[in-house]
């Protein structure tokens, strides 16, 4: 497993990162915060960097504060990737020197001297499904406006970034928040780049105004269903078509075999092959997050059966991972205490949520969270009428809805101010 090394002009990406890391930190926090609380880490990753990691990042900033980057060197490269670098399997066992190849992509075509690094990780997905974020969408907009470099980074245990040979129970021990955050710090310190070209691919789960998608198709079947019986029939009709189109069930499977959740021998539980995002995400849910998507509480309208509860999902964890180190319930208290949960306070984070985003209850903009004021150092914006990921939407060839444009302008203004103030202290 060799380290990929290439020089652009007279400087490597690792040198560039080292010299520009003061500009990276605000953008890094923004992107991480959005991923952690909005999608799904997600978006993503699950929380802002812990105190130890923050301390280490500040040390890196301090060490590089007086360094400057040679003008117009990185901008000469139009390479996107993918690149790989040797990531540590275990950051907390000094005796374990094993590494694995972790993938990343990079677009430096918008770079201007002094510009920031815009660091983006999709979290719980194969990162190659997000290549458009290198050349379009909010990340690209920020790069153009701020003269920055976009880095797309693949999370361990997803896509082709695997520290193990399969996803059996015993091999999941290196998938947790602490290892993931340590990955990022190590990446910042060691990665270098080479040139290549990729073809952008879109990610189907994003739901944007004016863009056909599964959710819109789901809603349309109810347009003329005004009675309970008609609504049930409409739902059954939609799901029959959806399941067939998605090739959900294997040939000759019965309905119970396909959709049942009580058989531990079901392939859904026993498939331990790599690049199985559903299994990796199930481990993170069962171990630390507990992000169970269940029916609405009683007294509130619900599109999901009230038989789908947190307990419904939780009882499946032992089926996925028998003979594992999983706790009886996800260690959500540990995660919330360590990272602050709804009460997290930090500067240079721009919080963005959609009014009707189903992930909003996990964010600091949750209706159940303590009221959070929007300040100059920590803006807090809820896009009216928006759902998941709308602020990501941007393209130079498409008219963007005004509420999204307003948020983009606010974000660019805040970032520009933060970077200006930080650079003034050099």
């Amino acid at each position: 497993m060799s380290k990929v090394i290439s020089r652009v002009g007279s400087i490597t990406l690792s040198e560039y990162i080292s010299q520009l890391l003061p500009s990276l930190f605000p953008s890094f926090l923004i992107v991480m915060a959005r991923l952690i609380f909005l999608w799904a880490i997600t978006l993503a990753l699950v929380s802002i960097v812990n105190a130890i990691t923050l301390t280490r990042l500040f040390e890196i900033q301090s060490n590089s504060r007086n360094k400057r980057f040679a003008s117009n060197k990185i901008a000469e490269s139009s390479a996107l990737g993918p690149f790989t670098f040797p990531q540590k399997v275990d950051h907390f066992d000094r005796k374990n020197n094993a590494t694995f190849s972790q993938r990343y992509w990079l677009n430096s075509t918008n770079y201007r001297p002094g510009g920031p690094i815009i660091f983006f990780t999709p979290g719980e997905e194969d990162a190659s499904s997000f290549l458009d974020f290198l050349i379009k969408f909010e990340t690209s907009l920020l790069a153009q406006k701020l003269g920055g470099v976009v880095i797309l980074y693949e999370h361990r245990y997803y896509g082709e970034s695997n520290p193990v040979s399969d996803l059996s129970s015993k091999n999941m021990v290196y998938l947790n928040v602490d290892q993931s955050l340590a990955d990022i710090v190590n990446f910042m310190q060691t990665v270098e780049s080479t040139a290549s070209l990729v073809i952008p691919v879109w990610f189907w789960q994003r739901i944007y105004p004016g863009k056909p998608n599964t959710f819109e198709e789901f809603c349309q079947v109810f347009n003329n269903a005004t009675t309970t019986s008609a609504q049930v029939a409409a739902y059954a009709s939609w799901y029959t078509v959806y399941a067939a189109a998605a090739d959900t069930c294997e040939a000759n499977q019965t309905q119970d075999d396909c959709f049942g959740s009580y058989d531990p021998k079901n392939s859904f539980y026993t498939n331990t092959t790599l690049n199985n995002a559903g299994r990796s995400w199930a481990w993170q849910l069962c171990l630390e997050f507990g992000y169970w998507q269940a029916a609405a509480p009683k007294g509130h309208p619900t599109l999901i059966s009230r038989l789908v509860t947190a307990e419904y999902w939780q009882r499946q964890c032992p089926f996925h991972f028998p003979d594992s180190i999983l706790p009886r319930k996800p260690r959500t208290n540990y995660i919330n205490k360590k990272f602050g949960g709804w009460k997290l306070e930090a500067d240079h984070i721009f919080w963005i949520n959609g009014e009707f985003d189903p992930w909003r209850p996990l964010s600091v903009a949750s209706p159940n969270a303590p009221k959070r004021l929007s300040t100059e150092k920590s803006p807090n914006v809820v896009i009216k009428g928006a759902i998941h990921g709308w602020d990501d939407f941007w393209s130079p060839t498409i008219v963007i809805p005004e509420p999204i444009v307003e948020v983009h302008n606010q974000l660019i203004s805040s970032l520009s101010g933060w970077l200006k103030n930080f650079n003034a202290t050099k």
Side-chain angles (χ1 to χ4, degrees), residues 27-188:
S27 296
F28 166 71
L29 278 179
I30 293 167
V31 175
M32 288 297 297
R34 292 179 55 248
L35 291 174
I36 291 160
F37 290 102
L38 303 184
W39 58 242
I41 29 219
T42 126
L43 68 176
L45 296 169
V46 67
S47 185
I48 300 301
V49 183
N50 60 31
I52 297 175
T53 306
L54 284 172
T55 300
R56 182 62 191 132
L57 289 177
F58 279 122
E59 289 175 356
I60 299 171
Q61 290 179 322
S62 178
N63 292 338
S64 62
R65 182 176 292 272
N66 296 321
K67 299 178 182 179
R68 299 305 297 269
F69 174 59
S71 301
N72 300 322
K73 294 299 182 181
I74 286 292
E76 295 173 4
S77 171
S78 61
L80 298 180
F83 313 117
T84 63
F85 75 102
Q87 182 63 272
K88 296 179 180 179
V89 172
D90 190 341
H91 295 275
F92 306 103
D93 182 357
R94 294 183 178 181
K95 296 180 180 180
N96 188 343
N97 296 317
T99 62
F100 68 97
S101 292
Q102 192 160 34
R103 292 196 299 178
Y104 68 99
W105 292 257
L106 176 145
N107 185 358
S108 60
T109 55
N110 294 301
Y111 172 73
R112 297 190 299 270
I117 295 175
I118 300 162
F119 183 89
F120 173 69
T121 176
E124 74 281 11
E125 292 289 344
D126 182 327
S128 67
S129 296
F130 290 78
L131 300 182
D132 261 1
F133 281 79
L134 292 166
I135 59 175
K136 295 193 297 185
F137 306 112
E138 189 176 34
T139 46
S140 186
L141 172 65
L142 294 178
Q144 292 184 27
K145 296 295 184 180
L146 303 175
V149 173
V150 178
I151 293 179
L152 171 64
Y153 164 94
E154 188 165 72
H155 195 289
R156 61 167 53 205
Y157 281 83
Y158 292 95
E160 297 181 12
S161 299
N162 293 288
V164 291
S165 58
D166 62 50
L167 302 181
S168 57
S169 297
K170 62 182 179 61
N171 281 343
M172 304 304 293
V173 294
Y174 303 113
L175 179 55
N176 56 61
V177 172
D178 294 329
Q179 295 285 2
S180 301
L181 293 176
D183 279 349
I184 295 173
V185 174
N186 189 43
F187 174 90
M188 293 177 184

Side-chain angles (χ1 to χ4, degrees), residues 312-332:
Y312 166 84
W313 296 111
Q314 182 64 45
R315 67 169 175 77
Q316 298 180 47
C317 290
F319 293 170
H320 281 287
F321 308 103
D323 303 320
S324 70
I325 61 169
L326 284 177
R328 188 175 63 87
K329 289 186 177 181
R331 49 179 187 171
T332 53

Side-chain angles (χ1 to χ4, degrees), residues 209-238:
K211 182 178 179 65
N213 56 72
T214 304
F215 184 77
E216 288 180 355
E217 293 171 359
F218 172 79
C219 293
Q220 287 170 2
V221 303
F222 290 95
N223 284 346
N224 299 316
T226 57
T227 66
T228 301
S229 60
Q231 291 165 356
V232 171
Y235 176 79
S237 174
W238 172 84

Side-chain angles (χ1 to χ4, degrees), residues 342-345 351 360 363-375 378 380 382:
W342 285 337
K343 297 180 181 179
L344 185 148
E345 296 289 345
W351 304 98
R360 182 181 171 186
S363 77
V364 296
S366 169
N368 299 317
K371 186 175 181 180
R372 180 179 294 265
L373 298 178
S374 182
T375 66
S378 184
N380 181 26
V382 176

